[in-house]
Amino acid sequence: MARGLATRARSESAARAPLAAVRPAHLRDTIAVRGLEVRMHAGLDAWGRAVPQPVHIDAVLRTDVERAGRSDHLPYSLNYGEVYRALEAHCRAHRYDDVGALADALAQVCREGRAPWVELTVRLPRALLRAAHVAMTVVRSAELAGAADAYDRLCIDGLEAYAILGVNAWERETRQRVCIHLDMAAAARPVRYEALARAVEALVEASSYQTVESLATDIARLAIVEHGVEELAVRVEKPSAIMYAECASVEVVRDRAFFGVPADAPPAQTGADGWRAAALALGSNLGDRLAHLEAALARLDAHPDVRVVDTSFLYETQPMYYTEQPRFLNGACRIQTRLAPHDLLRVTQAIETDVGRTKAGVPRNGPRVVDVDLLLYEDAVVEDGEHLVVPHPRIAERAFVLHPLADIMPNAEHPVLQRTVAQLLHTLMHTAAYDARDTARVLPLAHTQWRWGERTLVMGILNATPDSFSDAGELADVDAAVDAAERMVRAGADMLDVGGQSTAPGAPEVPEAEEAARVVRVIRALVARGVQTPISVDTYRASVARAALDAGAAIVNDVSGGTRDADMLPLVAARRCPYVLMHSRGDAQTMTRLTDYGGDVAGTVAAELAARVRAALDAGVRRWNIILDPGLGFAKNAEGSVALLRALPRLVGAGGSRGGLDAATAHTERAPYRAAEPWASLAHFPLLLGASRKRFLGALIRAPDAPVPEPKARVYATLAACTAAIASGCVDVIRVHDVAPAVDTARTADALTRAR
């Protein structure tokens, strides 16, 4: 019923278009081809697929048929047979990404057939899942000259949503179906109808209006203020409002002046302070690839008219187009800039040259020290031949671009294809050309590179402290610690975690200088022995982390997630080092009193971790350098730790750090996209799990009324917890005291649970 209402109702709004005042008086007659249906490429369909879809065309040609009427001689008129054949031929021979461009082209086809005045409507009945159709109406005539597009109208008809809407008691209890019709001016700036439709659906279904008038007004406000529409009519219909009527409806007509929006103001999504949002692709496949990407980012950030807002994960990818070259390291960044697109292009090209790129003698798409490509610049569409095309013309076919973009702006819409980055990636992953094996999410380090999600890494614990809860200070002696580290490396440890202060509940804090001395002695001794396994420092103090990094550590493992020392996040950002960001509350003296999570430990931990990720990204820490730790046993009782272990996919999504690289584990979110803020989703972050010898494991394995087993007696419980966590598909690193059995456990669990 809704679709029938929509089709009939559209003409009511369209009739309001101010055409009567400009139509030439001598063109009173019309010849029309209505309801012509063709099958063609006209942008993406409702499922985001670039496939042929039905297109309905109404061509109304205003002319004067007086001579043909008097003489009954066809050459004196326009031949509608020739018109429809010309329209069909054009549709067979062309494909379009935009319904407006298609409507304009078909109107020109009619004009070429001697039609003096053309009113042409194109309808796409399969462009939106929850609407009857999207329609574009254009008017073209020599009399209108350059002002023809002033009468262009974009319509979304029969958009369905369910809302609490009405003043009656029963209407406040159950959601009812409403149909929304939007008829808007489409000349001033392109309207991304898919994004607008989705935003209207979200507004309606989250609302609880008493009056239809208020709902219609707020829909108009959303379209004008948030999506840049100049003027529109909004009609909201309630099909269930009156028992013996087809529907009740309210229609409002609003423009920018009604909401106090200046005529030249950009959409609210883009900001109006002179700073504009843009997205850049980063790539390198020669020399120290990570160093080259970091050098390019540093130069961007140093420019007075550029701010780096967010960075993606890093991906190692197979080369495309020109395949006889090394694998690429790819990423993306989101920036704000006061530069116009062409000026920004000149800056990025200068950065490429500064970092060492040369194009002389290099084949097109060949190897390069660094590549910085402008992908998106707000809603801008720039077509300047070989110089600059924005959006980048090959975004939709490049997985090495879409994966990083989806990390930082999944819900941003492509202004031409009218699909979000996540939707474009989803479409690409369902094509025959896409192979998930061509892409790996990676973290390059000095002597190695970790490929997240392919196997479980093992972090060996070195407690260089006399009050360790689990090993009673056995490794406080430097030689003993180094010997233990070498045994761990021989057993297969992928990294070593050196700590100089116990963080167990109730453990006293030691002075910074003492903590630093403990860890630095061990790290220096390991470096002197030639140990090349990456070394992590376990500390929440920035001064200790700085001393450890200077001594040879490569990673900072912070149990406070940056909450205990305000200098920690800026230090990690400046050093560009990997950072283990753990969830906790309070400190060693208070954490046991902070274990209330309101019955949803996983959800609350995820929210609190996301806030710390946001803080880290705001401080300039690269996304690719962040490793999350849910903090088992830290401000969690035994029940909370077990509940968290069971719910790890709720933190980082199905598939963990490997998630999103194939269609089966794609993780999408509908959270709003804000151009000036980093994307703080936890999706696809690598996850470290520190269950080793924890007190909650002892509580699980003890016999009734028996004392909790000593830490060293919890090794089998530790391995069981690690096995279950690896089987969830979300854990990338296990932090353990007993490396040899943990390596065996990880290898076995990987063989059984990870896809090969």
Side-chain angles (χ1 to χ4, degrees), residues 25 162 214 237 282 346 356 381 414 426 448 522 566 613 693 708 725:
Y162 288 80
S214 182
E237 296 175 346
L282 307 169
R346 284 188 281 272
V381 178
H414 189 291
H426 184 266
T448 188
V522 174
V613 167
R693 301 182 181 179
V708 175

Side-chain angles (χ1 to χ4, degrees), residues 440-669:
R441 197 173 283 122
V442 300
L443 177 60
L445 293 165
H447 302 292
T448 188
Q449 176 174 275
W450 292 335
R451 294 167 65 89
W452 296 122
E454 295 188 0
R455 70 177 182 89
T456 305
L457 306 177
V458 176
M459 171 188 275
I461 300 171
L462 284 173
N463 286 319
T465 171
D467 59 348
S468 168
F469 89 96
S470 65
D471 49 31
E474 291 177 1
L475 305 181
D477 176 75
V478 172
D479 289 337
V482 172
D483 289 342
E486 290 183 329
R487 289 194 298 272
M488 291 178 181
V489 172
R490 288 194 297 271
D494 297 284
M495 65 193 94
L496 302 169
D497 193 37
V498 180
Q501 174 174 259
S502 175
T503 53
E509 293 187 356
V510 301
E512 288 186 33
E514 175 61 23
E515 183 189 1
R518 291 175 179 176
V519 298
V520 166
R521 284 196 297 266
V522 174
I523 293 169
R524 285 178 176 166
L526 291 171
V527 172
R529 290 273 190 99
V531 173
Q532 294 192 347
T533 300
I535 299 170
S536 168
V537 58
D538 180 6
T539 184
Y540 57 80
R541 289 168 167 159
S543 63
V544 176
R546 183 180 297 106
L549 292 170
D550 290 342
I555 305 164
V556 174
N557 180 10
D558 179 3
V559 297
S560 79
T563 61
R564 296 289 305 276
D565 189 335
D567 293 331
M568 179 62 88
L569 294 180
L571 170 71
V572 173
R575 292 301 187 93
R576 303 299 180 211
C577 62
Y579 177 61
V580 180
L581 188 157
M582 195 186 87
H583 175 271
S584 186
R585 291 174 171 178
D587 56 28
Q589 310 305 319
T590 63
M591 69 172 71
T592 56
R593 302 194 298 273
L594 302 173
T595 59
D596 184 3
Y597 291 86
D600 184 11
V601 61
T604 306
V605 167
E608 294 177 3
L609 266 178
R612 298 313 305 158
V613 167
R614 167 70 187 274
L617 295 172
D618 277 336
V621 179
R622 306 292 190 224
R623 183 181 302 268
W624 60 68
N625 276 330
I626 298 175
I627 302 168
L628 301 182
D629 181 345
L632 298 177
F634 283 79
K636 290 106 182 160
N637 55 26
E639 293 79 7
S641 292
V642 171
L644 197 53
L645 271 171
R646 290 173 174 164
L648 294 178
R650 291 185 60 190
L651 299 184
V652 293
S657 63
R658 183 69 191 172
L661 295 183
D662 56 63
T665 57
H667 185 69
T668 59
E669 297 188 40

